Amino acid sequence: MSLEAKISTEFMREFTTCLDVMRIFGDELRIEVRETQLILWTVNSSLTGQAVIRLAPTNFESYELQLPDGMGETETLDSINCGVEVKTLRRIIRADNPVSDPLSWCMMYLVDMTAYRQEIAPEECLNPALTLDLVWVNDITKTHVLALIESEPLKLIYDKVERYSFSVDPHMLEDYLKLFSSNVLEIVFQCSPNSIRLGSHWDVIDEALNSLERPLDTQVEITVAHWTQYNIPENVQVIVQAKELRAAVTFAADMDLQLRACFDGPGW
């Protein structure tokens, strides 16, 4: 099974932004290729955070998913599932696409024959790999070949129905997060029907104290008028990893997207 997709110079910035947020969440970029979408996803080392980005084929200049020659349609194998080291892929794209000499386009070839090795003669099997042909305006081409990591189809680590939600302009939230020290590990959302207080606590070494009992280091309050949508009818507190929160907010701001958060309280 193979994918051939062309990334235009206009979409290259957005594609690189996707890799940036994936690099913060995890070390391995999981790729699920379907006829209707290209899914990029990863999880953090503690399996408490997951980033999932779904790209429609219309984002690419061309997008073609093919079965290998001699294979008919199959009901059980309709996608490519594999992975690569996100750090390596991100470094290639960033290093070879400088502002002073941007790429004209990038052709991406993804070959994953693992699922078919029992059904195709060995001499017909290609080595699974992600190949990138980077092309500049003067027709100079540079090729990178990345080995693939085995992967499973996307499975969300949390798929329950959440009771609370809010939407916000990510640029505004990004400005508030800049008030917090870059060394902060966690940020507490203290939510009420009228406002949300963002707070960070001292990283004191006292196992008898949980995160919410530590002395406050920084706190800001954002009233309900600043949120574009707000559905928090009662008091509730949640704690999130600061690094991953900043990554999600920065991604939404760079992509000019509205940021929507959904969550639950204790006991659910």
Side-chain angles (χ1 to χ4, degrees):
M1 207 168 192
S2 64
L3 169 73
E4 182 176 313
K6 185 176 182 179
I7 305 174
S8 66
T9 185
E10 293 81 8
F11 184 57
M12 185 63 68
R13 185 188 72 84
E14 287 81 0
F15 188 76
T16 305
T17 301
C18 293
L19 298 181
D20 290 342
V21 69
M22 292 291 165
R23 176 65 183 91
I24 293 174
F25 271 81
D27 296 326
E28 294 180 355
L29 174 65
R30 304 294 177 170
I31 305 172
E32 181 171 346
V33 183
R34 293 185 172 274
E35 188 175 358
T36 56
Q37 60 184 328
L38 175 66
I39 305 173
L40 307 178
W41 64 280
T42 188
V43 294
N44 61 16
S45 57
S46 60
L47 302 181
T48 58
Q50 182 179 39
V52 180
I53 299 175
R54 302 174 187 269
L55 301 174
T58 52
N59 286 301
F60 299 87
E61 194 166 324
S62 62
Y63 183 96
E64 186 175 2
L65 180 63
Q66 294 181 332
L67 292 174
D69 293 339
M71 289 295 297
E73 294 184 358
T74 172
E75 296 180 358
T76 57
L77 300 173
D78 59 356
S79 66
I80 297 175
N81 295 281
C82 58
V84 296
E85 290 187 355
V86 64
K87 179 175 65 175
T88 302
L89 178 58
R90 176 177 175 270
R91 184 175 65 247
I92 289 172
I93 297 296
R94 283 205 166 276
D96 289 336
N97 190 35
V99 176
S100 59
D101 187 19
L103 291 169
S104 179
W105 48 271
C106 170
M107 185 63 77
M108 180 170 64
Y109 304 95
L110 183 59
V111 176
D112 180 18
M113 302 294 291
T114 305
Y116 296 94
R117 287 194 183 277
Q118 300 301 320
E119 303 161 32
I120 301 179
E123 60 270 15
E124 297 181 34
C125 292
L126 300 176
N127 291 326
L130 172 63
T131 303
L132 300 173
D133 284 345
L134 308 177
V135 183
W136 283 266
V137 67
N138 52 6
D139 287 335
I140 294 177
T141 302
K142 186 175 183 180
T143 300
H144 296 272
V145 179
L146 282 71
L148 298 182
I149 303 168
E150 290 189 9
S151 181
E152 298 293 330
L154 169 65
K155 183 177 181 180
L156 299 178
I157 61 176
Y158 188 86
D159 58 359
K160 296 181 181 179
V161 177
E162 296 90 353
R163 291 179 292 171
Y164 312 110
S165 65
F166 63 76
S167 297
V168 66
D169 179 351
H171 299 281
M172 183 201 72
L173 190 55
E174 189 175 38
D175 289 341
Y176 278 109
L177 292 178
K178 290 177 182 178
L179 301 175
F180 293 82
S181 168
S182 59
N183 296 324
V184 168
L185 299 179
E186 299 173 336
I187 292 181
V188 182
F189 281 66
Q190 297 176 308
C191 309
S192 72
N194 301 315
S195 66
I196 293 181
R197 292 182 180 180
L198 305 181
S200 63
H201 294 74
W202 289 353
D203 191 19
V204 295
I205 302 177
D206 186 346
E207 295 183 358
L209 297 177
N210 63 37
S211 297
L212 296 176
E213 293 174 329
R214 299 171 184 170
L216 276 170
D217 178 40
T218 303
Q219 180 174 267
V220 295
E221 183 173 7
I222 310 175
T223 62
V224 67
H226 290 84
W227 307 92
T228 55
Q229 179 267 332
Y230 197 83
N231 177 34
I232 306 178
E234 56 192 0
N235 294 342
V236 63
Q237 296 184 117
V238 293
I239 303 174
V240 296
Q241 295 292 320
K243 181 179 70 172
E244 295 169 359
L245 174 63
R246 286 192 173 104
V249 172
T250 299
F251 175 79
D254 289 346
M255 300 291 281
D256 292 323
L257 302 173
Q258 187 74 195
L259 181 67
R260 185 168 186 264
C262 303
F263 55 97
D264 275 329
W268 282 65

